[in-house]
Amino acid sequence: MNILLSGFNGKQKIYKISCDKNRATEYTSQNYNVLLLQSNNAYLLPENNSFVLTEEEFNYLKSLGDDACIEINDNGRIASVFGKEYDNTLYITDKCNSNCIMCPMAEPIRKNGHTVPFEILKELVRYMPSNMEHLTITGGEPFYIKEQLFDILKDLKNHNKVWSYLLLSNGRIFANKDYCLKFAAVVPEDFLVGIPIHGPNAEIHDAISQCPGSFKQTTSGIHNLLATHKMSVEIRIVVNRINAPHLKDIAILIADQFPGVDSVKIMGMEMLGNAIVNSESVWIPYDEAFTYMKPTIDYLVEKAIDVAIYNFPLCFINKSYWHLCANSITSYKIKYLDECVSCIEKSACGGIFTGTDKYLKGKVKPIIR
Ligand code: SF4
């Protein structure tokens, strides 16, 4: 997120948004901070500070809808947004107990980065509107905050905040069965856990996660989750130079050991952080990647396992597989190259990650009828 409210003169806080004075008063009586939108001005309540919004800023805030909430930093930058129809993400921490070789976060950030204080996470949940369509909970590794995450999940569930959830985790924590059962006891309905498998065996998976023992923990964790009532798991495979020749073997492992998974997502890399540092080992041109993806997808389809392709632009994917391509890149991270202007499929294509675009310069092939 990179949106700045240029005239912001308040303090770093979470605010409910409202365009209606009566509703704003109701919110303040419930102990919420409010950002009231009135003809290109924003009033911060209860302190009654005001500042002028540009037309673009006003339209953006209004588009989030009454009842949405935003967290604004001291400098006016919007740190998080939660709205009924928004692509909502609850970011827990930069930190992770793995150190994947193609992670878009750099190692120093993952080791020493920021963890959102527990009290702020609780407040964000309190401010969120009820009945949001979807929430992704992510990091880093969200379970870095251990059982505090259970408390957050309980709040989300008890206050009917969200209809459907995706939690992104490396899955290692679920190797502990007791933990898995405790987790299952607090998760809301319609809850999916997305877990990456990097290789068909410990040698490849652990080389990519750079954590000995992680393959055993992750696969035990998936087993435990699937054996636990009402837990759904999506397996994510991030295609890179190291695991591409083994993609089909990963699919065979999934069909053999985890036939009950919700789906498999085959994903392109976001070339930032560790991925750039290790680009010589991990970068694989997208057309080459697809030669490995194709038999893998065919195998999963044959085994009646749902599969989707994330983060790959259409021009690198055979047309007969386009129906599996999702517009999966978050809107503010999407880039199109100059050549894309002449592509007739631009509106259907999910684009390229900002950061990955420089690896695809001169490589995209605009689709022309
Ligand atoms: S040329 Fe650009 S818009 Fe067209 S499919 Fe490729 S990346 Fe997407």
Side-chain angles (χ1 to χ4, degrees), residues 170-366:
N170 60 37
R172 294 171 58 190
I173 193 85
F174 300 116
N176 178 329
K177 268 191 192 161
D178 285 346
Y179 204 90
C180 201
L181 290 171
K182 279 190 198 166
F183 173 65
V186 296
V187 292
E189 294 295 316
D190 202 350
F191 199 98
L192 185 62
V193 186
I195 298 178
I197 293 186
H198 301 305
N201 53 43
E203 191 189 346
I204 298 167
H205 181 99
D206 293 0
I208 291 173
S209 71
Q210 303 194 95
C211 279
S214 60
F215 178 76
K216 192 155 189 281
Q217 288 177 330
T218 293
T219 48
S220 303
I222 297 170
H223 273 299
N224 289 342
L225 281 172
L226 291 174
T228 307
H229 173 61
K230 82 178 183 176
M231 295 312 308
S232 301
V233 177
E234 160 190 296
I235 292 181
R236 303 186 144 214
I237 310 171
V238 182
V239 183
N240 58 68
R241 166 64 65 201
I242 300 166
N243 68 8
H246 308 283
L247 288 188
K248 188 165 174 198
D249 292 331
I250 301 177
I252 291 169
L253 170 88
I254 293 168
D256 187 39
Q257 291 200 32
F258 312 119
V261 289
D262 173 88
S263 56
V264 174
K265 304 292 186 311
I266 298 183
M267 309 178 65
M269 281 182 293
E270 184 177 7
M271 294 300 289
L272 295 173
N274 275 6
I276 291 192
V277 174
N278 301 308
S279 62
E280 284 200 7
S281 326
V282 300
W283 173 250
I284 178 167
Y286 278 177
D287 32 15
E288 187 183 344
F290 186 70
T291 63
Y292 295 111
M293 289 159 61
K294 187 174 174 300
T296 308
I297 293 166
D298 292 346
Y299 180 81
L300 289 166
V301 169
E302 190 189 308
K303 294 290 175 183
I305 293 176
D306 273 357
V307 56
I309 301 170
Y310 277 17
N311 313 341
F312 283 92
L314 293 180
C315 54
F316 293 96
I317 304 294
N318 187 302
K319 192 171 183 178
S320 57
Y321 293 77
W322 282 3
H323 64 288
L324 300 175
C325 294
N327 288 356
S328 48
I329 302 177
T330 310
S331 54
Y332 71 94
K333 292 183 175 180
I334 295 175
K335 183 116 185 204
Y336 291 96
L337 300 182
D338 292 346
E339 300 94 305
C340 298
V341 173
S342 59
C343 178
I344 59 165
E345 295 295 343
K346 189 175 172 205
S347 59
C349 172
I352 299 162
F353 269 122
T354 305
T356 306
D357 57 313
K358 56 180 169 293
Y359 293 82
L360 297 176
K361 283 224 166 85
K363 302 278 188 338
V364 298
K365 297 158 276 184

Side-chain angles (χ1 to χ4, degrees), residues 124-192:
L124 283 169
V125 173
R126 186 175 81 87
Y127 269 79
M128 285 176 193
S130 298
N131 298 316
M132 297 192 302
E133 265 179 38
H134 183 78
L135 179 70
T136 300
I137 302 172
T138 188
E141 169 55 50
F143 280 101
Y144 185 83
I145 62 168
K146 304 203 171 82
E147 299 196 8
Q148 284 183 335
L149 190 59
F150 294 165
D151 210 69
I152 301 294
L153 293 174
K154 270 190 223 161
D155 283 0
L156 287 162
K157 182 180 180 174
N158 292 342
H159 299 285
N160 296 320
K161 292 291 183 178
V162 188
W163 287 105
S164 80
Y165 293 85
L166 173 65
L167 170 78
L168 299 177
S169 165
N170 60 37
R172 294 171 58 190
I173 193 85
F174 300 116
N176 178 329
K177 268 191 192 161
D178 285 346
Y179 204 90
C180 201
L181 290 171
K182 279 190 198 166
F183 173 65
V186 296
V187 292
E189 294 295 316
D190 202 350
F191 199 98
L192 185 62

